[in-house]
Amino acid sequence: MEWNANNTFKTYKDMEPKAMMDMALIPNIDPIDIGLGSSEKGSVVPTSKPRKKTMTSVYLKYFETAPDGKTRRCKFCGQSYSIATATGNLGRHLSNRHPGYDKTGDVVTTSSVPQPTTPVIKKSQPQGRVTQVDYDHLNWLLIKWLILASLPPSTLEERWLANSFKFLNPSIQLWPGEKYKAVFREVFRSMREDVRVSLEQVSSKVSVTLDFWTSYEQIFYMSVTCQWIDENWSFQKVLLEICQVPYPCTGSEIYNSLVKVLKMYNIENKVLSCTHDNSQNAIHACHTLKEDLDGQKVGPFCYIPCAAHTLSLIIDDALRTTKPVIAKVREFVQELNACLDMSEDFIQLTTAYQEGSWQFPLDASARWSGNYQMLDLVHKQAAKSMDAVVRKNEEMLGSRMLLNGAEKNVANIVHNYLEPFYKVINEICVNNPPTIGMVIVYMDHISDTIATRQTPDWLKSAAEDMAKKLRSYNNQVCNIFIYMTAILDPRIKCELIPESLNSENYLEEARAHFMRNYYTSHFSSMTSGYSAQDIEDGGSVSFAEEIARKKRRASMSNATDELTQYLSESPAPTKTDVLEWWKVNSTRYPRLSAMARDFLAVQATSVKPEELFCSKGDEMDKQRFCMPHDSTQAILCIKSWTQGGLKLKYKSTEIDYERLMELAAAAAADNISAGFDKKPK
């Protein structure tokens, strides 16, 4: 899907690069429109080029010569230049910094030059209006920073941040905090409407995923994300909403919040599945939604547990007995990351002892990636280097980080036991998004691993808990819906389907679903006339109609053969790009490919696997936890939309940040040039 908006700043396309503060590439924000009491409104700089002067006297009258005769100072802003500075450079300064200087009607006097401790007072209105546009440029760049850094507008109210800007330019004025919030709200509304209009163009079914978290204010949030496959067989994803779930945050409140989002985007009749986070409240909400949709007979709907959350819970069980060992190693790693001398010693020792290659900083997160890194340090016999570093720095570290033989043995056993999990998680994270079919194959492999591996007595209890969680997951995904999703993965078909999911009845049900929902709905022109009433009226139809019906029946048989033919062929190699395969073969299977577009959009995980298993998730959790309620929805949604390719928009106007940065670079170059000119010669 293309996230292209229609309104761009074409007015400035052919203009010469100017300083960033000289161009109005941002919309005029009327303070009245957003509830502010300011009496001054931003103005737009005329789009025509400033009139160039060729006579030096025209430029020089806007500069004042210093008493010592060595420098000239601009009467507008007070910037000084060497007396030997070429008049062309003085002209560029006036054009870049003070557009409209030659239209003021008055010669600027010395009193208008800004003093260090007093605000700038402009004699003419045009000059003041240019300054307002300058501030808007800066404020729109700060908005971009707040979005990308996931920071609330209150960040800009920090006193010493404002002091830093004043140090660079005493005349800089940031918007009030309430104005930033109002702008964010308007940008959010504008961009959300673009998302809604874009979803109206989606012709296939869509799937949604749910994620939940609680902020520092103890507010419970739910994010709803929509996925689908477009007509070019490209996977598309967009965040629909981040909404507060009302107290007491049970399944009923989650259900009502979810339905509100689906109706707002008018996709309640398009949604095919919902992948949740495995919590009981989410399961209850999805079950209620299924009953609602089934009652309306809008089509099949299924809710699916998140495979990533299931794996995370299983791994936590396996790591129970090794938590003290992992804690010791993590503390050591944190010291290594913090001390350059210590990390250099460690690298030299691991090289000398041939204990592997290590790249700093080491992952010390409490997620799977960090925990496995801790076990890896011990398993690869880097414990010898670890002991040497601890002993060398014993005065600072003490001896608490030293591992005894029993602890090293436990770490090695658990590392070997979790190696299949490591491979599965890597595959899931790399193949993003992983298909339901392949994830089911991976989970079946994990089940076999737990059931067949020999474990010491101290690990058997954990293994039983792991197996119990896997059985619960398998019970939830063992249904006709998941079966159809799996066989439409050309790498799997029926051959790699796990035994628990493989059923002859499922195949017949899949065939019936295909005929019922994809033969008629996607090729209605071929199926008109197949109602029960038409069959009963067989004696009253014309001879031509009988011939047409015979042709249609033959066509229906061919349609059935699409599924039979597809399944009769060998599965594609496991490295095959699934969507690319269907894009190439959609002409062979025109009806079946329509079904594949719908079902392959179903998500196996409710979040990106790397956000759950890797340290990347720590930063995301911190940002969401620390965001105040009045900024959470707008900033996190806008960030997701812009990262997905949607242009930041205020009302109907795009904010052209690329152009703004081009002008910023030009301004920096101009400042450097001015700095050289000011040096004594």
Side-chain angles (χ1 to χ4, degrees):
M1 183 180 75
E2 297 295 329
W3 294 104
N4 295 324
N6 297 323
N7 300 316
T8 56
F9 295 92
K10 300 295 185 181
T11 308
Y12 305 95
K13 183 177 180 181
D14 301 322
M15 297 184 66
E16 297 177 1
K18 299 292 182 182
M20 178 185 66
M21 301 303 178
D22 296 336
M23 308 291 286
L25 292 184
I26 46 108
N28 292 325
I29 300 179
D30 192 335
I32 297 175
D33 289 344
I34 58 176
L36 298 178
S38 174
S39 60
E40 184 181 7
K41 299 181 181 181
S43 61
V44 179
V45 178
T47 58
S48 58
K49 296 181 182 179
R51 181 161 52 92
K52 294 184 178 180
K53 301 293 183 178
T54 56
M55 298 180 61
T56 57
S57 60
V58 174
Y59 294 146
L60 293 177
K61 69 180 181 179
Y62 297 104
F63 290 82
E64 179 182 35
T65 303
D68 59 6
K70 294 182 179 180
T71 59
R72 289 192 180 95
R73 186 169 62 175
C74 175
K75 295 179 180 180
F76 288 110
C77 64
Q79 182 165 333
S80 296
Y81 288 90
S82 167
I83 197 73
T85 299
T87 54
N89 287 337
L90 301 180
R92 281 194 292 275
H93 169 86
L94 293 170
S95 297
N96 290 339
R97 299 296 183 186
H98 314 292
Y101 70 92
D102 53 347
K103 298 182 178 67
T104 59
D106 297 308
V107 176
V108 181
T109 62
T110 306
S111 62
S112 65
V113 177
Q115 301 300 317
T117 58
T118 58
V120 180
I121 301 176
K122 304 292 184 182
K123 286 188 64 176
S124 57
Q125 182 63 23
Q127 205 64 59
R129 291 165 70 177
V130 168
T131 302
Q132 179 67 31
V133 171
D134 291 350
Y135 297 154
D136 283 349
H137 278 79
L138 173 62
N139 283 295
W140 279 103
L141 289 172
L142 289 173
I143 281 177
K144 183 75 169 182
W145 170 61
L146 291 175
I147 292 169
L148 294 179
S150 297
L151 295 172
S154 57
T155 304
L156 298 176
E157 297 175 6
E158 165 57 42
R159 175 187 172 189
W160 286 101
L161 179 64
N163 288 345
S164 300
F165 283 113
K166 294 293 183 183
F167 174 79
L168 295 173
N169 185 343
S171 65
I172 283 178
Q173 295 179 2
L174 302 182
W175 287 339
E178 288 304 313
K179 185 170 182 178
Y180 278 110
K181 293 178 184 178
V183 170
F184 273 119
R185 287 193 294 268
E186 183 57 45
V187 170
F188 169 74
R189 285 192 291 266
S190 301
M191 297 181 72
R192 181 169 65 180
E193 179 60 19
D194 283 351
V195 174
R196 191 190 66 78
V197 171
S198 298
L199 284 172
E200 289 180 352
Q201 310 304 316
V202 176
S203 60
S204 64
K205 291 283 189 178
V206 302
S207 296
V208 296
T209 55
L210 308 180
D211 191 21
F212 303 91
W213 71 93
T214 303
S215 73
Y216 75 97
E217 297 171 304
Q218 293 303 297
I219 295 176
F220 187 61
Y221 289 101
M222 174 178 70
S223 69
V224 185
T225 305
C226 179
Q227 296 87 7
W228 71 97
I229 297 170
D230 66 19
E231 294 179 354
N232 292 319
W233 289 95
S234 295
F235 178 77
Q236 301 292 348
K237 179 175 73 170
V238 63
L239 176 65
L240 298 181
E241 184 67 290
I242 291 176
C243 50
Q244 176 184 353
V245 179
Y247 182 83
C249 313
T250 64
S252 178
E253 287 75 32
I254 293 173
Y255 163 76
N256 291 327
S257 299
L258 176 57
V259 169
K260 183 179 178 181
V261 173
L262 298 179
K263 289 184 175 180
M264 178 174 60
Y265 285 96
N266 195 29
I267 60 173
E268 66 269 28
N269 293 333
K270 289 183 177 180
V271 64
L272 181 66
S273 70
C274 179
T275 307
H276 55 79
D277 70 340
N278 304 11
S279 66
Q280 288 302 312
N281 286 332
I283 292 173
H284 174 73
C286 291
H287 180 73
T288 306
L289 179 61
K290 177 173 173 57
E291 289 181 335
D292 188 16
L293 295 176
D294 287 348
Q296 299 176 32
K297 298 182 179 180
V298 297
F301 174 80
C302 182
Y303 53 96
I304 304 162
C306 174
H309 277 97
T310 301
L311 275 174
S312 181
L313 293 173
I314 291 171
I315 289 169
D316 284 345
D317 287 337
L319 293 175
R320 266 196 323 239
T321 55
T322 55
K323 283 185 177 180
V325 179
I326 290 174
K328 279 187 177 183
V329 181
R330 177 174 286 112
E331 190 176 356
F332 172 73
V333 168
Q334 289 168 340
E335 293 289 347
L336 284 183
N337 288 338
C339 180
L340 180 61
D341 291 341
M342 205 179 297
S343 61
E344 289 179 348
D345 286 344
F346 181 78
I347 292 173
Q348 291 175 0
L349 287 166
T350 53
T351 302
Y353 294 144
Q354 297 182 344
E355 292 181 338
S357 176
W358 305 91
Q359 186 174 357
F360 283 84
L362 298 175
D363 187 351
S365 73
R367 295 176 184 268
W368 160 253
S369 60
N371 288 330
Y372 198 76
Q373 175 96 86
M374 303 305 105
L375 295 175
D376 226 21
L377 277 167
V378 181
H379 178 72
K380 290 184 177 179
Q381 303 305 315
K384 189 174 181 181
S385 299
M386 176 180 169
D387 289 349
V389 171
V390 171
R391 295 185 189 283
K392 180 179 179 180
N393 298 273
E394 190 169 358
E395 185 175 342
M396 180 175 63
L397 302 179
S399 59
R400 66 186 183 280
M401 298 182 193
L402 293 173
L403 300 180
N404 58 42
E407 289 173 326
K408 294 176 183 178
N409 185 51
V410 167
N412 279 316
I413 291 173
V414 174
H415 182 280
N416 290 332
Y417 188 76
L418 290 178
E419 190 172 359
F421 293 81
Y422 174 78
K423 294 177 179 178
V424 165
I425 291 172
N426 274 359
E427 287 293 322
I428 291 177
C429 290
V430 169
N431 298 313
N432 197 15
T435 66
I436 279 281
M438 194 54 74
V439 167
I440 293 298
V441 172
Y442 290 147
M443 298 298 272
D444 187 58
H445 173 66
I446 293 295
S447 295
D448 290 342
T449 298
I450 295 174
T452 58
R453 282 209 169 186
Q454 295 294 324
T455 57
D457 292 339
W458 52 266
L459 195 55
K460 285 182 178 179
S461 175
E464 290 173 359
D465 291 339
M466 295 164 71
K468 183 178 178 181
K469 289 181 173 64
L470 263 175
R471 283 195 298 271
S472 174
Y473 174 84
N474 289 331
N475 290 338
Q476 293 180 68
V477 299
C478 186
N479 56 61
I480 177 59
F481 190 97
I482 299 299
Y483 177 85
M484 289 190 293
T485 306
I487 65 173
L488 289 170
D489 186 330
R491 302 169 300 177
I492 296 173
K493 297 188 177 180
C494 292
E495 293 190 17
L496 296 183
I497 291 287
E499 185 177 347
S500 60
L501 193 59
N502 203 352
S503 167
E504 291 185 6
N505 291 336
Y506 282 167
L507 180 57
E508 291 308 312
E509 288 182 48
R511 192 183 306 279
H513 179 85
F514 169 59
M515 292 300 304
R516 182 171 60 251
N517 294 280
Y518 292 91
Y519 177 77
T520 56
S521 61
H522 289 269
F523 297 87
S524 57
S525 62
M526 298 176 61
T527 62
S528 57
Y530 268 90
S531 66
Q533 184 63 40
D534 290 335
I535 296 173
E536 292 176 3
D537 295 340
S540 62
V541 298
S542 67
F543 179 65
E545 179 63 20
E546 290 180 5
I547 296 174
R549 288 183 177 182
K550 184 177 179 181
K551 293 287 188 182
R552 292 189 191 109
R553 291 190 186 99
S555 179
M556 181 179 287
S557 176
N558 291 336
T560 305
D561 286 341
E562 278 191 29
L563 181 58
T564 303
Q565 178 63 30
Y566 165 77
L567 294 176
S568 68
E569 297 175 356
S570 299
T574 55
K575 295 294 184 181
T576 300
D577 184 318
V578 174
L579 298 187
E580 184 63 27
W581 188 95
W582 274 108
K583 183 177 181 179
V584 171
N585 289 276
S586 59
T587 53
R588 295 178 59 205
Y589 308 110
R591 297 169 180 82
L592 193 61
S593 64
M595 182 175 173
R597 268 186 67 197
D598 288 346
F599 279 80
L600 290 175
V602 175
Q603 296 300 290
T605 62
S606 60
V607 295
K608 290 182 178 179
E610 61 268 25
E611 292 175 358
L612 190 62
F613 293 117
C614 305
S615 56
K616 176 182 177 181
D618 291 334
E619 183 64 27
M620 185 175 177
D621 284 353
K622 181 177 70 175
Q623 291 173 350
R624 298 197 301 191
F625 178 80
C626 296
M627 186 71 69
H629 178 60
D630 60 2
S631 302
T632 295
Q633 182 190 52
I635 289 185
L636 295 184
C637 283
I638 293 170
K639 179 179 180 179
S640 177
W641 292 335
T642 54
Q643 288 177 336
L646 192 65
K647 297 294 185 181
L648 194 143
K649 179 185 288 186
Y650 180 84
K651 295 183 178 178
S652 60
T653 306
E654 280 187 15
I655 311 303
D656 192 344
Y657 279 102
E658 290 184 3
R659 182 63 174 153
L660 277 177
M661 293 311 300
E662 289 176 3
L663 297 173
D670 182 70
N671 289 337
I672 293 173
S673 175
F676 282 121
D677 289 338
K678 287 191 289 185
K679 290 182 179 180
K681 295 185 178 180

